[in-house]
Amino acid sequence: MVEFDRSAFISKFQEEAGDLLQRLNEGVITLEGDPGNRELIDQMLRDAHTLKGSSRMVGLIDISDIAHRLEDIMVKIRDGEMAYASSLSDHFFEALDTIVYLTENAGKDNVDPDLDLEALQKSLTKVAEAGGKAEGTIPAHEPVPDVGEAVADGEPSHEIADAEDVMEIHEEDEGPASAEAPRQAKGASERQDDSLRPKIQHTIRIRTGQIDRLLNLISEVVISQIKAEQRVIELRQSVSEMAEIWAAWSQLKSVLNSLPIDDDPMREQAVDDMSTLDGLLSDRRRSLAAFAKSYNDDTSRTSIVLNDLQQQGMRLRMLPVSTVFNTFPRAMRELARSFKKDVDLIIEGGDTELDKKILEEINDPLIHIMRNAVDHGIESTDVRAAAGKPEKGTIRMAARQEGDHIVIEVSDDGAGIDPDKVRAAAIRKGYITESEAKSMSDREATYLIFEKGFSTSPIITEISGRGVGMDVVREFIVEKLKGSLDVTTEMGKGSTFLLTIPLTLAIIRALMLRVGDQTFALPTASVDETLRILPEEIIKVEGREVIRRQRRTVPLVHLGDILSVPSAGLEATKIPIATIGFSGHRMGFVVDQLLGEQQIVIKTLGTHLQKIDNVAGVTILGAGEVVPILNVPDLMENARYRAGQKVGTVETEERKGPARILICEDSFTTRELERSIFEAAGYDVEVAVDGAQGYAKLKEGLSPDAVVTDVQMPNMTGFELTRAIRSDPELSDIPVVIVTSLERDEEKTEGIEAGADAYITKSVFNQDTLLDTVERLIR
Amino acid sequence: MNVDDATKDAGTDRTEKLAHTAAEVLKRRAESLAQEAETEEAKSLMSVLLFRIGPEWYAVRVEDVREIYQEYALTPIPCVPDYIQGVVNIRGEIISVTDIAMLMRLGRVSGLIEMPAAIVVQNDDCATAMVVDEIGDIAEIATDGVEPPLSIIDKVQAEFIAGSLQIDSRLVGLLNVDRVLQPIGTTD
């Protein structure tokens, strides 16, 4: 009757229903003494309604139907169509007991065969109807005496009575109902005995806010403990100093004792004093040592307990991932049906525990990945058969704990992701140039599916699959949960998505670093590597500082510039750098000092500072020092901005219609940067990926107010383009601005000789120079 | 009969007039009584904590004050508005530190003292530690002693002032705590 995949919901329902039923039971009793209690009536109505809804959700229709009847009755009571009479209580209790019984046995097959739900339903319906007819008078006269007696006798025979009442209305039910009645009564009495036994509650519900406050206090105690441990060290020091003093004193004592004896009374006095002092000193020394030892013992004992306390405290927020996973088989079946695929879902490691907050967040990304796997990963049955694979596809979802992280693996045995198709689509969509695509490894190309907006392209989804909403998944995992997302794929064999999530949002590993006189924490999850490089390893490309790592160029940014924290200057000859990989981009952050990695507890910036650029929160270090935690997504965005100079709003003067600019530039980044600068300034921008394309556009009749071109481009260089423009009578008066990294004078001369109107080197390049220059030329 | 009628009519007129006047009087009296009641009610007192920014004194309702915080280790936070000095750790809770003078564009807290005192103010949503030059006494004032803010106040500052108070012949601005506690969402 009850489907297997509902079991997870059922336990949730049982938990919820337990509370509701308890409250309804209490409500019935209170209402008996105070039948006009409006608030209570409303609350009971709500509870019955909730019970109806949630039982229906998990497919427990019987419970839902009974709750529905109760709701009907409560509605009538609320609307004044019937008054609450104590006689109603028995109906309520019977209904509630039945629901309790059904709830406890939900999902089990051994439901009491004697349970006559129909009769109960009918008797409740009758109560509701009778009440309706009675219009505010005491309802259901007929069953009342029967029920009253039965309960008074301690015999739960009222069920028979009820059944008979019902039968009066529905004659055709008479036969079977009366035949079942005696057995039913027995079953009911057993149930009633059960219901009289106090239930042992193994769980209590606590608001998460309360737990957080508790954890807050625990970490405060931890801080005090760390201070206490420091005191222990100080104390040990003073013990050893005391020992030194004692040694010195002993030496002095023996010297004094070895002096020749004379009868000077002064001396006698001094010897007396000395021995008193000697005793005192020796006492003090011993008691200090003893105190230090017991204090040390106490502190280490506390420390062990505290460690435990902290861990147990953290565990309060943990729940098994099965609470989320168990809803998936059903979701999977629906997905498979809607995509017309045949898929098995295997779930492993459901008992792995995770912070509640993370669990709440993780559902959607997992569903997303599953949907993609079903939609694009798993092939249709005949394709699979043709490829010699089992017709039924398999998706495996496995969770396991690795250190302080949870790893969730979602793998399918589908077609895999074709990196070439991703490359092709990315080029078509303008994410990368062809040359960039060529220099990308297959792995890097595959990562393009996580690019923002990349997925939404219909072309990419069509050909490569695995596109829909992968950026959303990445955003969730990386930005919200501070985890990481990885994908491995093999053509024809399938793909595996690997989600690495911190165990709790409260604790993460972080790289501690210094900029200026401040310490910052950088979440380790996104740190690729930490380096210490020589200044000469920094290369200048297009006016930007970069380093080469694993045959890739990594742009450098000074963290202090982004945070507006003045750098204290370098202490060592080597420059400390932390490189961060984030959503397919790599960036090196130059810092003053790398301090090392450690676990930190994340705290918010408080209620007042809701969102601060670049700062995700703070942590409190052992000594009570507060350290800001950097926000990687913000940093990366700002760094990319900065690496390409700031793009801000630029005031432009009024002009007739927007001026049009043609930008010829083969580097995607520079092109887009220039585009945004001009667009922000109100220009109409056309782009070309090289001189030849630019020239073609000009010949096609695009008449820009100015051309901005790079020098080194495939097919036609900027110089060649400039010469072509100058020698073409139709185009010759279009101003040409050359933007280049070539700084040598000869090249500048060549540019001017070619007929360029302006020559801007990328190293001095900024939006103002560029805009000013173009502005001047157009006017 | 006629005379009688006339007299009667006149009498009725007069009675009506009287009744009208009476009603009027009663109404006025009721109004004045109501006003008295209001005045009575307004005589209730409220406590304010005085504090100084530069040469000027301000007040904050005691009920908005959570605590006064004297010795704290300030942690600067990058990329915050200029009036946020940073955060402090008050018994495990992170609280922002607002330079109230900067926020109100009154200049900066003089900075003569190494560690100026801070008043932790809060409403239902959030809390911040306001750094001030000096913390004064707690004064009891009549609730109706709160007058509308002086119209001569600079527009920039007006939104921070809920009203003005007369305390010991000194005119004191009552702080609009809700404005000070406006959550900071972005860098601007």
Side-chain angles (χ1 to χ4, degrees):
Chain A
M1 182 181 80
V2 177
E3 289 167 4
F4 156 74
D5 60 290
R6 286 188 166 148
S7 57
F9 297 104
I10 283 171
S11 67
K12 276 185 198 165
F13 168 74
Q14 282 168 331
E15 202 179 302
E16 184 197 6
D19 290 354
L20 292 170
L21 289 165
Q22 178 61 28
R23 211 156 61 189
L24 279 165
N25 267 313
E26 285 165 9
V28 172
I29 293 164
T30 318
L31 210 54
E32 247 181 357
D34 182 13
N37 190 333
R38 208 117 196 130
E39 227 167 89
L40 183 61
I41 290 168
D42 283 344
Q43 186 216 309
M44 286 174 70
L45 174 58
R46 270 197 310 274
D47 288 348
H49 181 83
T50 311
L51 200 55
K52 179 184 82 173
S54 37
S55 55
R56 186 159 286 273
M57 289 283 286
V58 293
L60 299 169
I61 305 299
D62 290 337
I63 295 178
S64 173
D65 285 345
I66 300 170
H68 190 162
R69 299 289 174 277
L70 292 182
E71 191 191 350
D72 284 349
I73 298 173
M74 289 314 299
V75 167
K76 291 215 158 116
I77 295 172
R78 184 196 60 187
D79 297 346
E81 286 176 35
M82 101 194 238
Y84 191 87
S86 56
S87 58
L88 274 178
S89 302
D90 300 317
H91 289 282
F92 265 90
F93 283 139
E94 189 199 341
L96 292 174
D97 286 350
T98 311
I99 296 177
V100 169
Y101 175 77
L102 288 172
T103 306
E104 280 168 2
N105 291 292
K108 291 180 200 153
D109 292 328
N110 58 342
V111 176
D112 187 351
D114 298 334
L115 193 62
D116 191 352
L117 293 169
E118 224 170 291
L120 174 67
Q121 292 268 359
K122 282 172 185 161
S123 83
L124 289 173
T125 311
K126 193 170 174 233
V127 169
E129 280 171 2
K133 274 178 249 151
E135 291 283 357
T137 58
I138 293 177
H141 285 287
E142 291 163 48
V144 170
D146 293 344
V147 173
E149 268 171 55
V151 171
D153 291 344
E155 255 180 60
S157 59
H158 57 281
E159 291 209 11
I160 313 169
D162 286 349
E164 277 163 5
D165 285 343
V166 174
M167 272 175 278
E168 282 170 24
I169 311 162
H170 304 277
E171 298 282 335
E172 68 277 10
D173 284 351
E174 192 173 0
S178 52
E180 265 178 35
R183 274 187 290 138
Q184 183 199 339
K186 184 175 157 268
S189 78
E190 275 168 9
R191 288 205 306 278
Q192 213 164 49
D193 285 351
D194 279 351
S195 71
L196 289 177
R197 256 176 248 135
K199 293 216 171 55
I200 298 158
Q201 293 277 351
H202 292 289
T203 56
I204 49 165
R205 291 197 193 180
I206 303 170
R207 271 178 290 116
T208 44
Q210 244 169 316
I211 293 180
D212 290 345
R213 270 198 293 282
L214 183 71
L215 296 181
N216 236 352
L217 291 175
I218 292 177
S219 39
E220 272 306 286
V221 181
V222 170
I223 290 166
S224 312
Q225 173 66 13
I226 289 166
K227 283 184 183 154
E229 278 163 17
Q230 259 150 15
R231 300 280 175 274
V232 170
I233 296 169
E234 288 168 26
L235 207 52
R236 270 200 219 118
Q237 235 154 18
S238 76
V239 169
S240 66
E241 275 163 20
M242 192 69 170
E244 278 166 32
I245 294 171
W246 178 253
W249 167 248
S250 303
Q251 211 177 358
L252 180 63
K253 213 163 50 175
S254 63
V255 171
L256 289 175
N257 281 334
S258 66
L259 286 178
I261 299 164
D262 58 45
D263 292 330
D264 188 344
M266 283 286 280
R267 186 197 133 92
E268 211 162 301
Q269 182 61 42
V271 167
D272 271 1
D273 287 353
M274 196 175 79
S275 89
T276 316
L277 189 62
D278 186 53
L280 277 175
L281 208 53
S282 148
D283 270 2
R284 279 295 93 208
R285 183 178 145 242
R286 260 196 302 278
S287 69
L288 181 67
F291 173 73
K293 190 185 176 300
S294 33
Y295 187 62
N296 182 38
D297 291 351
D298 293 348
T299 314
S300 33
R301 222 180 349 263
T302 315
S303 163
I304 293 164
V305 174
L306 253 184
N307 245 328
D308 226 23
L309 180 66
Q310 202 174 16
Q311 262 169 21
Q312 292 298 328
M314 290 301 174
R315 280 206 60 190
L316 286 178
R317 298 182 50 98
M318 306 289 250
L319 286 174
V321 289
S322 59
T323 47
V324 168
F325 277 16
N326 287 353
T327 65
F328 288 161
R330 180 164 180 187
M332 175 58 77
R333 201 159 53 194
E334 270 153 30
L335 281 172
R337 200 179 303 143
S338 66
F339 289 114
K340 300 196 174 53
K341 302 273 172 73
D342 203 1
V343 191
D344 258 345
L345 176 68
I346 299 170
I347 287 179
E348 288 162 17
D351 52 355
T352 315
E353 286 193 329
L354 205 51
D355 190 286
K356 181 182 185 295
K357 213 174 202 157
I358 297 179
L359 270 180
E360 282 162 4
E361 304 280 5
I362 206 173
N363 186 58
D364 291 356
L366 285 177
I367 290 272
H368 239 112
I369 294 175
M370 264 182 6
R371 181 180 298 129
N372 272 284
V374 177
D375 187 4
H376 307 293
I378 303 287
E379 315 90 327
S380 61
T381 319
D382 31 322
V383 173
R384 290 183 68 89
K389 288 178 170 183
E391 287 192 5
K392 199 166 195 177
T394 305
I395 293 177
R396 211 177 118 260
M397 188 173 287
R400 61 174 188 276
Q401 187 172 344
E402 275 182 13
D404 53 0
H405 280 76
I406 291 289
V407 178
I408 298 177
E409 237 182 82
V410 185
S411 47
D412 64 62
D413 63 347
I417 302 167
D418 185 345
D420 285 337
K421 285 184 179 168
V422 177
R423 275 197 196 94
I427 294 167
R428 230 189 349 267
K429 277 292 277 179
Y431 281 93
I432 47 170
T433 63
E434 229 157 303
S435 57
E436 276 173 315
K438 269 181 213 139
S439 68
M440 266 184 176
S441 68
D442 283 359
R443 215 173 146 67
E444 283 169 331
T446 312
Y447 280 125
L448 283 170
I449 64 169
F450 298 123
E451 272 297 299
K452 208 167 202 120
F454 183 83
S455 47
T456 52
S457 151
I459 314 151
I460 196 106
T461 24
E462 200 179 280
I463 53 132
S464 72
R466 291 309 165 90
V468 183
M470 275 306 168
D471 58 330
V472 180
V473 173
R474 185 193 51 76
E475 200 181 292
F476 254 95
I477 302 297
V478 179
E479 295 181 18
K480 248 186 151 163
L481 303 182
K482 316 263 176 276
S484 63
L485 181 60
D486 200 358
V487 59
T488 51
T489 183
E490 198 176 334
M491 287 294 291
K493 292 249 176 87
S495 320
T496 299
F497 286 85
L498 206 66
L499 286 73
T500 311
I501 302 155
L503 258 189
T504 153
L505 285 181
I507 299 178
I508 55 163
R509 293 198 72 77
L511 176 68
M512 309 304 284
L513 45 88
R514 279 188 84 80
V515 176
D517 54 0
Q518 260 200 286
T519 306
F520 294 96
L522 183 64
T524 311
S526 41
V527 176
D528 276 345
E529 53 181 346
T530 53
L531 317 161
R532 286 182 177 80
I533 60 158
L534 294 165
E536 50 267 35
E537 286 178 70
I538 295 177
I539 316 157
K540 286 210 171 169
V541 175
E542 297 183 5
R544 293 153 59 174
E545 287 183 329
V546 300
I547 46 167
R548 300 286 296 174
R549 296 302 297 172
Q550 288 123 27
R551 296 191 297 132
R552 287 211 57 185
T553 310
V554 179
L556 288 187
V557 215
H558 290 261
L559 187 56
D561 288 350
I562 290 174
L563 300 177
S564 314
V565 174
S567 160
L570 297 168
E571 283 176 18
T573 44
K574 287 195 166 185
I575 301 163
I577 291 170
T579 68
I580 296 180
F582 181 75
S583 71
H585 294 273
R586 262 183 101 188
M587 200 72 90
F589 289 86
V590 179
V591 300
D592 286 354
Q593 206 184 336
L594 294 165
L595 301 174
E597 201 188 354
Q598 73 177 77
Q599 278 210 345
I600 57 167
V601 177
I602 301 178
K603 280 171 175 271
T604 63
L605 282 166
T607 44
H608 188 216
L609 306 177
Q610 296 276 341
K611 166 84 185 86
I612 298 299
D613 204 22
N614 297 323
V615 183
V618 293
T619 188
I620 301 176
L621 296 186
E625 189 192 350
V626 180
V627 168
I629 302 169
L630 299 174
N631 179 333
V632 171
D634 280 1
L635 278 185
M636 288 301 278
E637 199 186 318
N638 292 330
R640 284 168 70 188
Y641 239 49
R642 186 168 290 267
Q645 294 297 326
K646 263 185 208 149
V647 180
T649 45
V650 175
E651 283 173 37
T652 45
E653 287 145 78
E654 292 269 314
R655 68 168 99 243
K656 300 169 218 106
R660 179 175 292 159
I661 294 285
L662 174 67
I663 295 170
C664 304
E665 171 62 61
D666 60 341
S667 146
F668 173 69
T669 323
T670 315
R671 192 166 67 233
E672 287 311 305
L673 168 72
E674 290 175 354
R675 183 211 283 272
S676 51
I677 290 174
F678 282 109
E679 279 181 352
Y683 285 85
D684 190 1
V685 179
E686 272 290 329
V687 292
V689 295
D690 57 33
Q693 197 188 31
Y695 189 63
K697 284 195 175 181
L698 290 171
K699 289 305 279 179
E700 276 162 28
L702 175 88
S703 52
D705 294 289
V707 173
V708 173
T709 180
D710 187 10
V711 173
Q712 285 175 326
M713 290 183 290
N715 299 323
M716 188 189 238
T717 68
F719 292 150
E720 285 163 3
L721 175 67
T722 312
R723 272 183 224 112
I725 290 171
R726 285 291 166 260
S727 56
D728 192 322
E730 277 175 76
L731 309 173
S732 61
D733 50 2
I734 299 175
V736 176
V737 178
I738 289 181
V739 178
T740 179
S741 49
L742 302 175
E743 279 194 72
R744 282 176 307 167
D745 281 341
E746 303 94 275
E747 266 131 6
K748 212 173 256 179
T749 320
E750 194 188 343
I752 291 158
E753 274 167 10
D757 296 281
Y759 192 98
I760 301 173
T761 45
K762 283 174 182 170
S763 54
V764 297
F765 170 89
N766 68 45
Q767 60 171 10
D768 292 338
T769 349
L770 184 60
L771 284 171
D772 284 349
T773 311
V774 171
E775 206 92 59
R776 238 190 349 257
L777 290 172
I778 288 176
R779 249 184 253 140
Chain B
M1 269 297 265
N2 271 346
V3 176
D4 270 348
D5 274 354
T7 325
K8 204 178 175 185
D9 279 355
T12 320
D13 266 5
R14 207 169 48 236
T15 321
E16 271 175 8
K17 221 181 245 166
L18 264 176
H20 193 73
T21 320
E24 199 93 307
V25 168
L26 279 174
K27 195 176 156 210
R28 258 203 304 271
R29 183 150 168 68
E31 269 169 12
S32 86
L33 275 174
Q35 243 163 16
E36 264 171 42
E38 259 169 41
T39 331
E40 197 91 329
E41 216 175 311
K43 284 257 166 65
S44 63
L45 295 172
M46 70 173 189
S47 312
V48 293
L49 174 67
L50 297 172
F51 62 90
R52 184 174 61 83
I53 307 173
E56 287 173 87
W57 283 87
Y58 292 85
V60 58
R61 276 193 194 84
V62 166
E63 62 192 50
D64 296 329
V65 176
R66 197 174 86 182
E67 62 188 296
I68 289 169
Y69 205 56
Q70 215 92 37
E71 275 179 37
Y72 48 89
L74 180 80
T75 302
I77 299 291
C79 309
V80 288
D82 54 3
Y83 55 86
I84 297 295
Q85 292 192 340
V87 295
V88 284
N89 168 17
I90 302 183
R91 292 180 300 277
E93 190 185 348
I94 300 295
I95 288 191
S96 62
V97 177
T98 302
D99 184 336
I100 186 74
M102 277 294 268
L103 177 62
M104 292 172 66
R105 303 290 157 209
L106 291 170
R108 215 170 239 290
V109 164
S110 60
L112 288 175
I113 334 152
E114 182 89 338
M115 193 66 75
I119 303 170
V120 181
V121 290
Q122 65 176 7
N123 60 14
D124 292 343
D125 301 319
C126 58
T128 190
M130 288 191 318
V131 173
V132 299
D133 281 324
E134 186 184 345
I135 294 178
D137 295 330
I138 289 178
E140 295 265 303
I141 55 151
T143 315
D144 66 346
V146 182
E147 286 156 29
L150 289 181
S151 51
I152 49 157
I153 305 182
D154 206 299
K155 254 194 194 146
V156 191
Q157 280 129 42
E159 54 181 315
F160 294 99
I161 302 299
S164 37
L165 310 170
Q166 196 81 31
I167 296 172
D168 303 338
S169 74
R170 218 169 28 195
L171 201 59
V172 171
L174 180 66
L175 197 69
N176 176 3
V177 169
D178 286 336
R179 174 61 188 86
V180 173
L181 287 172
Q182 219 167 62
I184 294 160
T186 49
T187 36
D188 357 305

